[in-house]
Amino acid sequence: MQTGRPGYPITAIVYSDGPRFEAFLQEFTAAMAEQGMQLAGLIQRSERRPGRVKCDMFLRDLATGVLHAISDDRGPHARGCVLNTDRLLRACTAAEVQLSTQADLLVLCKFGKTEVEGGGFRSLIAKALELSVPVLVGVPLINLTPFREFSADLAREIDLSQVVSDPFTAAERLLSYWSPLSETRTEVA
């Protein structure tokens, strides 16, 4: 796992256990908000339904609290992807409207298949970089190579196991990466 110097504008939390990462991100964003951080972005909440193989998926907009349903109901035995990309795009557009230089951090739940294919959260990441807002994004291990191609040398990677034990400690650790961000962007190390 590569790590980087403070000042990288993107921090990728690399994971192989989606539910574990989702739970961490819920706790982490709550801890960051409790510390007074102005958060923007979208985090996933999956809800199991009795008699269903697949969960219902929602994205919570961290700036507004709005919950966006992003999955299709394809019946009780659906096994394939249930993501509705049109709903995902609408959630991204709404979050992008809220993103401003007032945000301390853009948090995104996943660099997933849609992002690998060129869509999804990519525009939000680009806008955050334009506004000099640091980005935290989850990256499933399976998508690490495409994420590296997308992010070039702008990202540091941290394994989920390094931050999952305590969201408050994780918040403090990650804040230490971002606090000097504006001062170290031009630094070469």
Side-chain angles (χ1 to χ4, degrees):
M1 185 74 41
Q2 66 188 49
T3 57
R5 69 190 188 286
Y8 279 100
I10 302 171
T11 299
I13 305 293
V14 181
Y15 65 92
S16 57
D17 181 341
R20 184 177 180 207
F21 177 72
E22 186 176 317
F24 163 76
L25 203 55
Q26 296 286 341
E27 293 172 3
F28 174 79
T29 54
M32 296 294 268
E34 194 172 296
Q35 292 184 21
M37 295 282 293
Q38 293 293 319
L39 301 177
L42 298 161
I43 62 171
Q44 185 169 320
R45 187 178 88 202
S46 301
E47 291 183 1
R48 288 219 152 303
R49 289 179 52 192
R52 299 286 173 147
V53 174
K54 292 292 199 168
C55 296
D56 288 340
M57 298 180 297
F58 300 89
L59 291 177
R60 182 168 57 92
D61 187 314
L62 294 172
T64 65
V66 171
L67 204 58
H68 301 271
I70 61 165
S71 55
D72 285 329
D73 184 353
R74 296 193 178 156
H77 304 292
R79 296 220 184 264
C81 182
V82 296
L83 175 66
N84 181 310
T85 54
D86 289 334
R87 291 181 189 167
L88 173 64
L89 179 60
R90 283 194 294 272
C92 289
T93 300
E96 194 169 335
V97 167
Q98 295 298 319
L99 184 57
S100 73
T101 56
Q102 300 303 308
D104 294 315
L105 178 65
L106 174 70
V107 181
L108 299 170
C109 58
K110 183 191 264 187
F111 190 88
K113 181 181 178 197
T114 305
E115 290 73 27
V116 168
E117 294 172 347
F121 297 138
R122 283 180 175 234
S123 64
L124 274 167
I125 294 170
K127 183 170 181 184
L129 296 177
E130 288 172 14
L131 297 173
S132 298
V133 174
V135 177
L136 174 74
V137 62
V139 179
L141 191 55
I142 194 169
N143 295 336
L144 188 54
T145 298
F147 172 76
R148 286 176 176 165
E149 291 168 3
F150 165 73
S151 63
D153 63 348
L154 298 176
R156 101 184 88 249
E157 298 164 9
I158 300 172
D159 191 85
L160 178 61
S161 64
Q162 295 178 299
V163 294
V164 77
S165 63
D166 178 10
F168 286 100
T169 302
E172 289 175 9
R173 178 175 176 207
L174 292 171
L175 278 172
S176 72
Y177 285 128
W178 296 313
S179 58
L181 189 59
S182 60
E183 300 164 14
T184 61
R185 283 223 175 98
T186 57
E187 221 179 78
V188 176

